[in-house]
Amino acid sequence: MSSPLRIGVIGWGLRGNLAALAHRPDEGVELVALADPNPAAQAAFLERFPSASVTADYQDFIADKMDAVFVTSPDWLHEEQAATLLCAGVAVYLEKPMAITTEGCDRILRAAVNGGSKLFVGHNMRHFGVVRKMKEWIDEGRIGEVKAAWCRHFVSYGGDAYFRDWHADRSKSTGLLLQKGAHDIDVIHWLCGGYSETVSAFGDLSVYGDIQDRQAKEGEIKVAFRKTWPPKSLDKLNPVVDVEDINMMLMKLDNGVLASYQQCHFAPDAWRNYTVIGTEGRIENFGDSPGSSVIRLWNQNHQKFAEHGDLEFEVPLATGGHGGADEQIVGEFLDYLRTGTTSVTSPIAARQSVAAGVAATQSVRSGGQTVQVPQIAPELLKHFG
Ligand SMILES: NC(=O)c1ccc[n+]([C@@H]2O[C@H](COP(=O)([O-])OP(=O)(O)OC[C@H]3O[C@@H](n4cnc5c(N)ncnc54)[C@H](O)[C@@H]3O)[C@@H](O)[C@H]2O)c1
């Protein structure tokens, strides 16, 4: 029997739960080490995996010859950590967003090429039941040729999740249009079959900027997203708060599709509402959780609002992290490690969502100008297919 795959984890915060899904001793895969400078995170990891080792420095993983590493650290560390490991020949599961700059993404892609290493980026939204069904209907031609898409993203927990730690500091996240929006920009690209070429956006720090209490405690482990209501009663914000809490982005894709993404971090509810319109119909989701959401298709002509459309699909109940998407994506990563199987996620798509999010953030901060999304180098495109 071959020796087990030895997996390391960088960063045991909220997203440690994802890496833990890879611990499958019965399948010959074991989480054996954590790199995290926070003693509380180290202690929590050892409690769960008592025979594992802990370190503050992820570079120990290279000397220890890990087979693969989950990079689930904060966004601004992704570039350095992933590029170093990939250059050293270590396979990497990298959480989204790939990096906080487009150049950072390209450095990571080049490191994977130079190190001959496997790179997998964790865009788990492509595994959401609601997104998969919409993609299926589009691929079946049910709305004809896609021409336009909208996503309205309501984030009720935005204050607690993103304004009380590093997410609120643009030097560490670039901004929430990238940080949170990377998921949706990627989904829009996927559903519409193209990548953003030109973008423009408006945004503002319109609610949380007024809150004076900036006494967040460094190093506290987030246990779950608290949900303070109303948003203005939020306390203990990060000392630096310079990212937007509302963003509205327009995109022109390289296949001519027009799309928009609207994100609000002080909404009373939490869900994403997508609609995609083609030459022969429209689809839209109402709710996005498995077991309590529906997708509707309109593909006949209606003279007025037709509530239930021409076809409805109830998204079935599914259990697990992010409605089972986390288990699926970790399984795909392990298959990729063991057999090289390709995934519905792709490092190129991950780079393109960051590139669009960064360009849109530049637009927000320059008064809404249109910004060209930097092209990806042809040799990188060729390598990753
Ligand atoms: N795909 C998803 O659905 C999803 C959901 C949540 C978060 N994320 C992503 O996962 C990543 C982690 O997010 P989180 O919410 O778990 O963050 P977090 O702040 O809760 O945890 C980050 C952990 O990294 C550790 N850390 C800090 N500096 C480090 C260093 N130099 N080396 C090693 N570890 C270090 C911290 O001590 C902490 O334990 C982010 O990139 C985020 O965007 C993805």
Side-chain angles (χ1 to χ4, degrees), residues 8 10 58-62 66 68-71 79-92 111-112 115 117:
I10 307 181
Y58 75 95
Q59 303 225 28
D60 293 349
F61 288 172
I62 297 171
M66 287 298 157
V69 171
F70 276 76
V71 178
E79 176 187 343
E80 185 65 34
Q81 293 173 341
T84 305
L85 292 166
L86 290 163
C87 256
V90 181
V92 166
S117 310

mmCIF file with all atom_site columns, all heavy atoms in Angstrom, residues 8 10 58-62 66 68-71 79-92 111-112 115 117:
data_model
loop_
_atom_site.group_PDB
_atom_site.id
_atom_site.type_symbol
_atom_site.label_atom_id
_atom_site.label_alt_id
_atom_site.label_comp_id
_atom_site.label_asym_id
_atom_site.label_entity_id
_atom_site.label_seq_id
_atom_site.pdbx_PDB_ins_code
_atom_site.Cartn_x
_atom_site.Cartn_y
_atom_site.Cartn_z
_atom_site.occupancy
_atom_site.B_iso_or_equiv
_atom_site.pdbx_formal_charge
_atom_site.auth_seq_id
_atom_site.auth_comp_id
_atom_site.auth_asym_id
_atom_site.auth_atom_id
_atom_site.pdbx_PDB_model_num
ATOM 1   N N   . GLY A 1 8   ? -0.487 19.774 4.714   1.00 0.00 ? 8   GLY A N   1
ATOM 2   C CA  . GLY A 1 8   ? -0.303 20.864 5.677   1.00 0.00 ? 8   GLY A CA  1
ATOM 3   C C   . GLY A 1 8   ? -1.365 21.938 5.460   1.00 0.00 ? 8   GLY A C   1
ATOM 4   O O   . GLY A 1 8   ? -1.964 22.021 4.385   1.00 0.00 ? 8   GLY A O   1
ATOM 5   N N   . ILE A 1 10  ? -2.104 26.193 6.066   1.00 0.00 ? 10  ILE A N   1
ATOM 6   C CA  . ILE A 1 10  ? -1.623 27.518 6.496   1.00 0.00 ? 10  ILE A CA  1
ATOM 7   C C   . ILE A 1 10  ? -2.838 28.349 6.875   1.00 0.00 ? 10  ILE A C   1
ATOM 8   O O   . ILE A 1 10  ? -3.650 28.686 6.007   1.00 0.00 ? 10  ILE A O   1
ATOM 9   C CB  . ILE A 1 10  ? -0.834 28.249 5.391   1.00 0.00 ? 10  ILE A CB  1
ATOM 10  C CG1 . ILE A 1 10  ? 0.293  27.370 4.842   1.00 0.00 ? 10  ILE A CG1 1
ATOM 11  C CG2 . ILE A 1 10  ? -0.285 29.557 5.925   1.00 0.00 ? 10  ILE A CG2 1
ATOM 12  C CD1 . ILE A 1 10  ? 1.118  28.046 3.752   1.00 0.00 ? 10  ILE A CD1 1
ATOM 13  N N   . TYR A 1 58  ? 5.314  28.812 7.615   1.00 0.00 ? 58  TYR A N   1
ATOM 14  C CA  . TYR A 1 58  ? 4.873  27.850 6.583   1.00 0.00 ? 58  TYR A CA  1
ATOM 15  C C   . TYR A 1 58  ? 6.047  27.280 5.792   1.00 0.00 ? 58  TYR A C   1
ATOM 16  O O   . TYR A 1 58  ? 5.928  26.223 5.172   1.00 0.00 ? 58  TYR A O   1
ATOM 17  C CB  . TYR A 1 58  ? 3.871  28.536 5.639   1.00 0.00 ? 58  TYR A CB  1
ATOM 18  C CG  . TYR A 1 58  ? 4.512  29.484 4.661   1.00 0.00 ? 58  TYR A CG  1
ATOM 19  C CD1 . TYR A 1 58  ? 4.851  29.056 3.376   1.00 0.00 ? 58  TYR A CD1 1
ATOM 20  C CD2 . TYR A 1 58  ? 4.834  30.782 5.011   1.00 0.00 ? 58  TYR A CD2 1
ATOM 21  C CE1 . TYR A 1 58  ? 5.456  29.912 2.476   1.00 0.00 ? 58  TYR A CE1 1
ATOM 22  C CE2 . TYR A 1 58  ? 5.445  31.639 4.125   1.00 0.00 ? 58  TYR A CE2 1
ATOM 23  C CZ  . TYR A 1 58  ? 5.757  31.194 2.857   1.00 0.00 ? 58  TYR A CZ  1
ATOM 24  O OH  . TYR A 1 58  ? 6.377  32.039 1.968   1.00 0.00 ? 58  TYR A OH  1
ATOM 25  N N   . GLN A 1 59  ? 7.203  27.981 5.819   1.00 0.00 ? 59  GLN A N   1
ATOM 26  C CA  . GLN A 1 59  ? 8.337  27.491 5.017   1.00 0.00 ? 59  GLN A CA  1
ATOM 27  C C   . GLN A 1 59  ? 8.859  26.154 5.551   1.00 0.00 ? 59  GLN A C   1
ATOM 28  O O   . GLN A 1 59  ? 9.542  25.420 4.827   1.00 0.00 ? 59  GLN A O   1
ATOM 29  C CB  . GLN A 1 59  ? 9.457  28.531 4.999   1.00 0.00 ? 59  GLN A CB  1
ATOM 30  C CG  . GLN A 1 59  ? 8.968  29.852 4.461   1.00 0.00 ? 59  GLN A CG  1
ATOM 31  C CD  . GLN A 1 59  ? 9.919  30.486 3.459   1.00 0.00 ? 59  GLN A CD  1
ATOM 32  O OE1 . GLN A 1 59  ? 10.658 29.800 2.768   1.00 0.00 ? 59  GLN A OE1 1
ATOM 33  N NE2 . GLN A 1 59  ? 9.900  31.802 3.406   1.00 0.00 ? 59  GLN A NE2 1
ATOM 34  N N   . ASP A 1 60  ? 8.514  25.837 6.806   1.00 0.00 ? 60  ASP A N   1
ATOM 35  C CA  . ASP A 1 60  ? 8.893  24.520 7.350   1.00 0.00 ? 60  ASP A CA  1
ATOM 36  C C   . ASP A 1 60  ? 8.281  23.396 6.520   1.00 0.00 ? 60  ASP A C   1
ATOM 37  O O   . ASP A 1 60  ? 8.799  22.278 6.500   1.00 0.00 ? 60  ASP A O   1
ATOM 38  C CB  . ASP A 1 60  ? 8.404  24.371 8.807   1.00 0.00 ? 60  ASP A CB  1
ATOM 39  C CG  . ASP A 1 60  ? 9.134  25.318 9.754   1.00 0.00 ? 60  ASP A CG  1
ATOM 40  O OD1 . ASP A 1 60  ? 10.144 25.916 9.317   1.00 0.00 ? 60  ASP A OD1 1
ATOM 41  O OD2 . ASP A 1 60  ? 8.683  25.468 10.903  1.00 0.00 ? 60  ASP A OD2 1
ATOM 42  N N   . PHE A 1 61  ? 7.167  23.691 5.847   1.00 0.00 ? 61  PHE A N   1
ATOM 43  C CA  . PHE A 1 61  ? 6.481  22.657 5.061   1.00 0.00 ? 61  PHE A CA  1
ATOM 44  C C   . PHE A 1 61  ? 7.335  22.177 3.882   1.00 0.00 ? 61  PHE A C   1
ATOM 45  O O   . PHE A 1 61  ? 7.155  21.069 3.386   1.00 0.00 ? 61  PHE A O   1
ATOM 46  C CB  . PHE A 1 61  ? 5.145  23.179 4.511   1.00 0.00 ? 61  PHE A CB  1
ATOM 47  C CG  . PHE A 1 61  ? 4.068  23.353 5.560   1.00 0.00 ? 61  PHE A CG  1
ATOM 48  C CD1 . PHE A 1 61  ? 2.867  23.968 5.232   1.00 0.00 ? 61  PHE A CD1 1
ATOM 49  C CD2 . PHE A 1 61  ? 4.240  22.892 6.855   1.00 0.00 ? 61  PHE A CD2 1
ATOM 50  C CE1 . PHE A 1 61  ? 1.866  24.131 6.168   1.00 0.00 ? 61  PHE A CE1 1
ATOM 51  C CE2 . PHE A 1 61  ? 3.242  23.045 7.804   1.00 0.00 ? 61  PHE A CE2 1
ATOM 52  C CZ  . PHE A 1 61  ? 2.055  23.668 7.457   1.00 0.00 ? 61  PHE A CZ  1
ATOM 53  N N   . ILE A 1 62  ? 8.247  23.049 3.434   1.00 0.00 ? 62  ILE A N   1
ATOM 54  C CA  . ILE A 1 62  ? 9.090  22.664 2.287   1.00 0.00 ? 62  ILE A CA  1
ATOM 55  C C   . ILE A 1 62  ? 10.125 21.632 2.755   1.00 0.00 ? 62  ILE A C   1
ATOM 56  O O   . ILE A 1 62  ? 10.265 20.561 2.160   1.00 0.00 ? 62  ILE A O   1
ATOM 57  C CB  . ILE A 1 62  ? 9.761  23.910 1.671   1.00 0.00 ? 62  ILE A CB  1
ATOM 58  C CG1 . ILE A 1 62  ? 8.664  24.842 1.129   1.00 0.00 ? 62  ILE A CG1 1
ATOM 59  C CG2 . ILE A 1 62  ? 10.741 23.505 0.563   1.00 0.00 ? 62  ILE A CG2 1
ATOM 60  C CD1 . ILE A 1 62  ? 9.149  26.207 0.695   1.00 0.00 ? 62  ILE A CD1 1
ATOM 61  N N   . MET A 1 66  ? 5.914  18.258 2.442   1.00 0.00 ? 66  MET A N   1
ATOM 62  C CA  . MET A 1 66  ? 4.465  18.030 2.389   1.00 0.00 ? 66  MET A CA  1
ATOM 63  C C   . MET A 1 66  ? 4.065  17.675 0.954   1.00 0.00 ? 66  MET A C   1
ATOM 64  O O   . MET A 1 66  ? 4.625  18.209 -0.005  1.00 0.00 ? 66  MET A O   1
ATOM 65  C CB  . MET A 1 66  ? 3.712  19.318 2.752   1.00 0.00 ? 66  MET A CB  1
ATOM 66  C CG  . MET A 1 66  ? 3.762  19.679 4.189   1.00 0.00 ? 66  MET A CG  1
ATOM 67  S SD  . MET A 1 66  ? 3.004  18.441 5.217   1.00 0.00 ? 66  MET A SD  1
ATOM 68  C CE  . MET A 1 66  ? 3.845  18.809 6.740   1.00 0.00 ? 66  MET A CE  1
ATOM 69  N N   . ALA A 1 68  ? 0.979  18.273 -0.157  1.00 0.00 ? 68  ALA A N   1
ATOM 70  C CA  . ALA A 1 68  ? 0.103  19.378 -0.569  1.00 0.00 ? 68  ALA A CA  1
ATOM 71  C C   . ALA A 1 68  ? -0.177 20.260 0.632   1.00 0.00 ? 68  ALA A C   1
ATOM 72  O O   . ALA A 1 68  ? -0.086 19.818 1.784   1.00 0.00 ? 68  ALA A O   1
ATOM 73  C CB  . ALA A 1 68  ? -1.213 18.838 -1.125  1.00 0.00 ? 68  ALA A CB  1
ATOM 74  N N   . VAL A 1 69  ? -0.515 21.525 0.341   1.00 0.00 ? 69  VAL A N   1
ATOM 75  C CA  . VAL A 1 69  ? -0.793 22.483 1.415   1.00 0.00 ? 69  VAL A CA  1
ATOM 76  C C   . VAL A 1 69  ? -2.075 23.252 1.095   1.00 0.00 ? 69  VAL A C   1
ATOM 77  O O   . VAL A 1 69  ? -2.270 23.687 -0.049  1.00 0.00 ? 69  VAL A O   1
ATOM 78  C CB  . VAL A 1 69  ? 0.390  23.461 1.578   1.00 0.00 ? 69  VAL A CB  1
ATOM 79  C CG1 . VAL A 1 69  ? 0.028  24.601 2.521   1.00 0.00 ? 69  VAL A CG1 1
ATOM 80  C CG2 . VAL A 1 69  ? 1.633  22.730 2.091   1.00 0.00 ? 69  VAL A CG2 1
ATOM 81  N N   . PHE A 1 70  ? -2.952 23.381 2.086   1.00 0.00 ? 70  PHE A N   1
ATOM 82  C CA  . PHE A 1 70  ? -4.119 24.260 1.973   1.00 0.00 ? 70  PHE A CA  1
ATOM 83  C C   . PHE A 1 70  ? -3.707 25.656 2.424   1.00 0.00 ? 70  PHE A C   1
ATOM 84  O O   . PHE A 1 70  ? -3.285 25.822 3.578   1.00 0.00 ? 70  PHE A O   1
ATOM 85  C CB  . PHE A 1 70  ? -5.268 23.781 2.872   1.00 0.00 ? 70  PHE A CB  1
ATOM 86  C CG  . PHE A 1 70  ? -6.105 22.710 2.246   1.00 0.00 ? 70  PHE A CG  1
ATOM 87  C CD1 . PHE A 1 70  ? -5.653 21.409 2.176   1.00 0.00 ? 70  PHE A CD1 1
ATOM 88  C CD2 . PHE A 1 70  ? -7.358 23.012 1.708   1.00 0.00 ? 70  PHE A CD2 1
ATOM 89  C CE1 . PHE A 1 70  ? -6.419 20.408 1.581   1.00 0.00 ? 70  PHE A CE1 1
ATOM 90  C CE2 . PHE A 1 70  ? -8.134 22.025 1.111   1.00 0.00 ? 70  PHE A CE2 1
ATOM 91  C CZ  . PHE A 1 70  ? -7.659 20.721 1.043   1.00 0.00 ? 70  PHE A CZ  1
ATOM 92  N N   . VAL A 1 71  ? -3.806 26.638 1.547   1.00 0.00 ? 71  VAL A N   1
ATOM 93  C CA  . VAL A 1 71  ? -3.515 28.021 1.929   1.00 0.00 ? 71  VAL A CA  1
ATOM 94  C C   . VAL A 1 71  ? -4.848 28.681 2.274   1.00 0.00 ? 71  VAL A C   1
ATOM 95  O O   . VAL A 1 71  ? -5.603 29.099 1.393   1.00 0.00 ? 71  VAL A O   1
ATOM 96  C CB  . VAL A 1 71  ? -2.777 28.773 0.803   1.00 0.00 ? 71  VAL A CB  1
ATOM 97  C CG1 . VAL A 1 71  ? -2.520 30.221 1.203   1.00 0.00 ? 71  VAL A CG1 1
ATOM 98  C CG2 . VAL A 1 71  ? -1.463 28.067 0.468   1.00 0.00 ? 71  VAL A CG2 1
ATOM 99  N N   . GLU A 1 79  ? -0.249 35.416 -2.033  1.00 0.00 ? 79  GLU A N   1
ATOM 100 C CA  . GLU A 1 79  ? 0.753  35.507 -3.120  1.00 0.00 ? 79  GLU A CA  1
ATOM 101 C C   . GLU A 1 79  ? 2.095  34.914 -2.680  1.00 0.00 ? 79  GLU A C   1
ATOM 102 O O   . GLU A 1 79  ? 2.622  34.012 -3.331  1.00 0.00 ? 79  GLU A O   1
ATOM 103 C CB  . GLU A 1 79  ? 0.925  36.966 -3.539  1.00 0.00 ? 79  GLU A CB  1
ATOM 104 C CG  . GLU A 1 79  ? 2.003  37.122 -4.587  1.00 0.00 ? 79  GLU A CG  1
ATOM 105 C CD  . GLU A 1 79  ? 2.326  38.580 -4.926  1.00 0.00 ? 79  GLU A CD  1
ATOM 106 O OE1 . GLU A 1 79  ? 1.518  39.482 -4.612  1.00 0.00 ? 79  GLU A OE1 1
ATOM 107 O OE2 . GLU A 1 79  ? 3.405  38.804 -5.500  1.00 0.00 ? 79  GLU A OE2 1
ATOM 108 N N   . GLU A 1 80  ? 2.610  35.424 -1.575  1.00 0.00 ? 80  GLU A N   1
ATOM 109 C CA  . GLU A 1 80  ? 3.938  34.997 -1.123  1.00 0.00 ? 80  GLU A CA  1
ATOM 110 C C   . GLU A 1 80  ? 3.941  33.504 -0.755  1.00 0.00 ? 80  GLU A C   1
ATOM 111 O O   . GLU A 1 80  ? 4.819  32.737 -1.171  1.00 0.00 ? 80  GLU A O   1
ATOM 112 C CB  . GLU A 1 80  ? 4.334  35.855 0.095   1.00 0.00 ? 80  GLU A CB  1
ATOM 113 C CG  . GLU A 1 80  ? 5.736  35.628 0.614   1.00 0.00 ? 80  GLU A CG  1
ATOM 114 C CD  . GLU A 1 80  ? 6.791  36.037 -0.406  1.00 0.00 ? 80  GLU A CD  1
ATOM 115 O OE1 . GLU A 1 80  ? 6.558  37.001 -1.158  1.00 0.00 ? 80  GLU A OE1 1
ATOM 116 O OE2 . GLU A 1 80  ? 7.837  35.354 -0.445  1.00 0.00 ? 80  GLU A OE2 1
ATOM 117 N N   . GLN A 1 81  ? 2.936  33.100 -0.005  1.00 0.00 ? 81  GLN A N   1
ATOM 118 C CA  . GLN A 1 81  ? 2.907  31.710 0.486   1.00 0.00 ? 81  GLN A CA  1
ATOM 119 C C   . GLN A 1 81  ? 2.718  30.728 -0.669  1.00 0.00 ? 81  GLN A C   1
ATOM 120 O O   . GLN A 1 81  ? 3.448  29.740 -0.790  1.00 0.00 ? 81  GLN A O   1
ATOM 121 C CB  . GLN A 1 81  ? 1.787  31.555 1.529   1.00 0.00 ? 81  GLN A CB  1
ATOM 122 C CG  . GLN A 1 81  ? 2.079  32.356 2.795   1.00 0.00 ? 81  GLN A CG  1
ATOM 123 C CD  . GLN A 1 81  ? 0.919  32.372 3.793   1.00 0.00 ? 81  GLN A CD  1
ATOM 124 O OE1 . GLN A 1 81  ? -0.221 32.100 3.439   1.00 0.00 ? 81  GLN A OE1 1
ATOM 125 N NE2 . GLN A 1 81  ? 1.213  32.714 5.036   1.00 0.00 ? 81  GLN A NE2 1
ATOM 126 N N   . ALA A 1 82  ? 1.743  30.998 -1.525  1.00 0.00 ? 82  ALA A N   1
ATOM 127 C CA  . ALA A 1 82  ? 1.472  30.050 -2.623  1.00 0.00 ? 82  ALA A CA  1
ATOM 128 C C   . ALA A 1 82  ? 2.654  30.018 -3.591  1.00 0.00 ? 82  ALA A C   1
ATOM 129 O O   . ALA A 1 82  ? 3.094  28.940 -4.009  1.00 0.00 ? 82  ALA A O   1
ATOM 130 C CB  . ALA A 1 82  ? 0.187  30.445 -3.354  1.00 0.00 ? 82  ALA A CB  1
ATOM 131 N N   . ALA A 1 83  ? 3.178  31.196 -3.954  1.00 0.00 ? 83  ALA A N   1
ATOM 132 C CA  . ALA A 1 83  ? 4.277  31.221 -4.935  1.00 0.00 ? 83  ALA A CA  1
ATOM 133 C C   . ALA A 1 83  ? 5.491  30.477 -4.391  1.00 0.00 ? 83  ALA A C   1
ATOM 134 O O   . ALA A 1 83  ? 6.136  29.711 -5.118  1.00 0.00 ? 83  ALA A O   1
ATOM 135 C CB  . ALA A 1 83  ? 4.621  32.663 -5.296  1.00 0.00 ? 83  ALA A CB  1
ATOM 136 N N   . THR A 1 84  ? 5.806  30.665 -3.118  1.00 0.00 ? 84  THR A N   1
ATOM 137 C CA  . THR A 1 84  ? 6.983  29.998 -2.533  1.00 0.00 ? 84  THR A CA  1
ATOM 138 C C   . THR A 1 84  ? 6.806  28.479 -2.554  1.00 0.00 ? 84  THR A C   1
ATOM 139 O O   . THR A 1 84  ? 7.715  27.740 -2.953  1.00 0.00 ? 84  THR A O   1
ATOM 140 C CB  . THR A 1 84  ? 7.189  30.496 -1.079  1.00 0.00 ? 84  THR A CB  1
ATOM 141 O OG1 . THR A 1 84  ? 7.285  31.917 -1.118  1.00 0.00 ? 84  THR A OG1 1
ATOM 142 C CG2 . THR A 1 84  ? 8.448  29.918 -0.458  1.00 0.00 ? 84  THR A CG2 1
ATOM 143 N N   . LEU A 1 85  ? 5.640  28.011 -2.151  1.00 0.00 ? 85  LEU A N   1
ATOM 144 C CA  . LEU A 1 85  ? 5.399  26.561 -2.115  1.00 0.00 ? 85  LEU A CA  1
ATOM 145 C C   . LEU A 1 85  ? 5.393  25.962 -3.521  1.00 0.00 ? 85  LEU A C   1
ATOM 146 O O   . LEU A 1 85  ? 6.007  24.915 -3.770  1.00 0.00 ? 85  LEU A O   1
ATOM 147 C CB  . LEU A 1 85  ? 4.066  26.263 -1.415  1.00 0.00 ? 85  LEU A CB  1
ATOM 148 C CG  . LEU A 1 85  ? 4.032  26.571 0.081   1.00 0.00 ? 85  LEU A CG  1
ATOM 149 C CD1 . LEU A 1 85  ? 2.598  26.564 0.589   1.00 0.00 ? 85  LEU A CD1 1
ATOM 150 C CD2 . LEU A 1 85  ? 4.871  25.555 0.861   1.00 0.00 ? 85  LEU A CD2 1
ATOM 151 N N   . LEU A 1 86  ? 4.718  26.640 -4.432  1.00 0.00 ? 86  LEU A N   1
ATOM 152 C CA  . LEU A 1 86  ? 4.618  26.110 -5.801  1.00 0.00 ? 86  LEU A CA  1
ATOM 153 C C   . LEU A 1 86  ? 5.992  26.037 -6.457  1.00 0.00 ? 86  LEU A C   1
ATOM 154 O O   . LEU A 1 86  ? 6.327  25.062 -7.132  1.00 0.00 ? 86  LEU A O   1
ATOM 155 C CB  . LEU A 1 86  ? 3.668  26.980 -6.631  1.00 0.00 ? 86  LEU A CB  1
ATOM 156 C CG  . LEU A 1 86  ? 2.185  26.874 -6.248  1.00 0.00 ? 86  LEU A CG  1
ATOM 157 C CD1 . LEU A 1 86  ? 1.396  28.043 -6.826  1.00 0.00 ? 86  LEU A CD1 1
ATOM 158 C CD2 . LEU A 1 86  ? 1.580  25.549 -6.716  1.00 0.00 ? 86  LEU A CD2 1
ATOM 159 N N   . CYS A 1 87  ? 6.807  27.078 -6.230  1.00 0.00 ? 87  CYS A N   1
ATOM 160 C CA  . CYS A 1 87  ? 8.180  27.088 -6.775  1.00 0.00 ? 87  CYS A CA  1
ATOM 161 C C   . CYS A 1 87  ? 8.981  25.907 -6.243  1.00 0.00 ? 87  CYS A C   1
ATOM 162 O O   . CYS A 1 87  ? 9.845  25.370 -6.936  1.00 0.00 ? 87  CYS A O   1
ATOM 163 C CB  . CYS A 1 87  ? 8.901  28.365 -6.338  1.00 0.00 ? 87  CYS A CB  1
ATOM 164 S SG  . CYS A 1 87  ? 9.023  29.548 -7.627  1.00 0.00 ? 87  CYS A SG  1
ATOM 165 N N   . ALA A 1 88  ? 8.681  25.530 -4.988  1.00 0.00 ? 88  ALA A N   1
ATOM 166 C CA  . ALA A 1 88  ? 9.419  24.425 -4.355  1.00 0.00 ? 88  ALA A CA  1
ATOM 167 C C   . ALA A 1 88  ? 8.817  23.063 -4.723  1.00 0.00 ? 88  ALA A C   1
ATOM 168 O O   . ALA A 1 88  ? 9.231  22.035 -4.188  1.00 0.00 ? 88  ALA A O   1
ATOM 169 C CB  . ALA A 1 88  ? 9.425  24.610 -2.842  1.00 0.00 ? 88  ALA A CB  1
ATOM 170 N N   . GLY A 1 89  ? 7.824  23.065 -5.597  1.00 0.00 ? 89  GLY A N   1
ATOM 171 C CA  . GLY A 1 89  ? 7.276  21.783 -6.072  1.00 0.00 ? 89  GLY A CA  1
ATOM 172 C C   . GLY A 1 89  ? 6.152  21.221 -5.219  1.00 0.00 ? 89  GLY A C   1
ATOM 173 O O   . GLY A 1 89  ? 5.766  20.060 -5.387  1.00 0.00 ? 89  GLY A O   1
ATOM 174 N N   . VAL A 1 90  ? 5.597  22.042 -4.296  1.00 0.00 ? 90  VAL A N   1
ATOM 175 C CA  . VAL A 1 90  ? 4.524  21.549 -3.424  1.00 0.00 ? 90  VAL A CA  1
ATOM 176 C C   . VAL A 1 90  ? 3.162  21.889 -4.058  1.00 0.00 ? 90  VAL A C   1
ATOM 177 O O   . VAL A 1 90  ? 2.951  23.017 -4.519  1.00 0.00 ? 90  VAL A O   1
ATOM 178 C CB  . VAL A 1 90  ? 4.608  22.214 -2.019  1.00 0.00 ? 90  VAL A CB  1
ATOM 179 C CG1 . VAL A 1 90  ? 3.508  21.687 -1.107  1.00 0.00 ? 90  VAL A CG1 1
ATOM 180 C CG2 . VAL A 1 90  ? 5.985  22.004 -1.411  1.00 0.00 ? 90  VAL A CG2 1
ATOM 181 N N   . ALA A 1 91  ? 2.248  20.941 -4.087  1.00 0.00 ? 91  ALA A N   1
ATOM 182 C CA  . ALA A 1 91  ? 0.900  21.199 -4.612  1.00 0.00 ? 91  ALA A CA  1
ATOM 183 C C   . ALA A 1 91  ? 0.140  22.100 -3.641  1.00 0.00 ? 91  ALA A C   1
ATOM 184 O O   . ALA A 1 91  ? 0.306  21.996 -2.422  1.00 0.00 ? 91  ALA A O   1
ATOM 185 C CB  . ALA A 1 91  ? 0.146  19.880 -4.797  1.00 0.00 ? 91  ALA A CB  1
ATOM 186 N N   . VAL A 1 92  ? -0.705 22.982 -4.194  1.00 0.00 ? 92  VAL A N   1
ATOM 187 C CA  . VAL A 1 92  ? -1.399 23.972 -3.354  1.00 0.00 ? 92  VAL A CA  1
ATOM 188 C C   . VAL A 1 92  ? -2.897 24.013 -3.653  1.00 0.00 ? 92  VAL A C   1
ATOM 189 O O   . VAL A 1 92  ? -3.299 24.070 -4.819  1.00 0.00 ? 92  VAL A O   1
ATOM 190 C CB  . VAL A 1 92  ? -0.796 25.381 -3.586  1.00 0.00 ? 92  VAL A CB  1
ATOM 191 C CG1 . VAL A 1 92  ? -1.684 26.474 -3.007  1.00 0.00 ? 92  VAL A CG1 1
ATOM 192 C CG2 . VAL A 1 92  ? 0.609  25.473 -2.993  1.00 0.00 ? 92  VAL A CG2 1
ATOM 193 N N   . ALA A 1 111 ? 4.803  30.666 -10.838 1.00 0.00 ? 111 ALA A N   1
ATOM 194 C CA  . ALA A 1 111 ? 5.473  29.784 -9.871  1.00 0.00 ? 111 ALA A CA  1
ATOM 195 C C   . ALA A 1 111 ? 5.040  28.330 -10.085 1.00 0.00 ? 111 ALA A C   1
ATOM 196 O O   . ALA A 1 111 ? 5.856  27.408 -10.014 1.00 0.00 ? 111 ALA A O   1
ATOM 197 C CB  . ALA A 1 111 ? 5.147  30.232 -8.449  1.00 0.00 ? 111 ALA A CB  1
ATOM 198 N N   . ALA A 1 112 ? 3.747  28.135 -10.382 1.00 0.00 ? 112 ALA A N   1
ATOM 199 C CA  . ALA A 1 112 ? 3.259  26.763 -10.624 1.00 0.00 ? 112 ALA A CA  1
ATOM 200 C C   . ALA A 1 112 ? 3.909  26.198 -11.886 1.00 0.00 ? 112 ALA A C   1
ATOM 201 O O   . ALA A 1 112 ? 4.285  25.021 -11.928 1.00 0.00 ? 112 ALA A O   1
ATOM 202 C CB  . ALA A 1 112 ? 1.738  26.763 -10.751 1.00 0.00 ? 112 ALA A CB  1
ATOM 203 N N   . GLY A 1 115 ? 7.704  25.571 -11.048 1.00 0.00 ? 115 GLY A N   1
ATOM 204 C CA  . GLY A 1 115 ? 7.924  24.477 -10.101 1.00 0.00 ? 115 GLY A CA  1
ATOM 205 C C   . GLY A 1 115 ? 7.338  23.159 -10.592 1.00 0.00 ? 115 GLY A C   1
ATOM 206 O O   . GLY A 1 115 ? 7.494  22.128 -9.943  1.00 0.00 ? 115 GLY A O   1
ATOM 207 N N   . SER A 1 117 ? 4.259  22.425 -10.508 1.00 0.00 ? 117 SER A N   1
ATOM 208 C CA  . SER A 1 117 ? 3.413  22.046 -9.359  1.00 0.00 ? 117 SER A CA  1
ATOM 209 C C   . SER A 1 117 ? 1.923  22.150 -9.683  1.00 0.00 ? 117 SER A C   1
ATOM 210 O O   . SER A 1 117 ? 1.520  22.898 -10.572 1.00 0.00 ? 117 SER A O   1
ATOM 211 C CB  . SER A 1 117 ? 3.705  22.979 -8.178  1.00 0.00 ? 117 SER A CB  1
ATOM 212 O OG  . SER A 1 117 ? 5.080  23.039 -7.974  1.00 0.00 ? 117 SER A OG  1
#
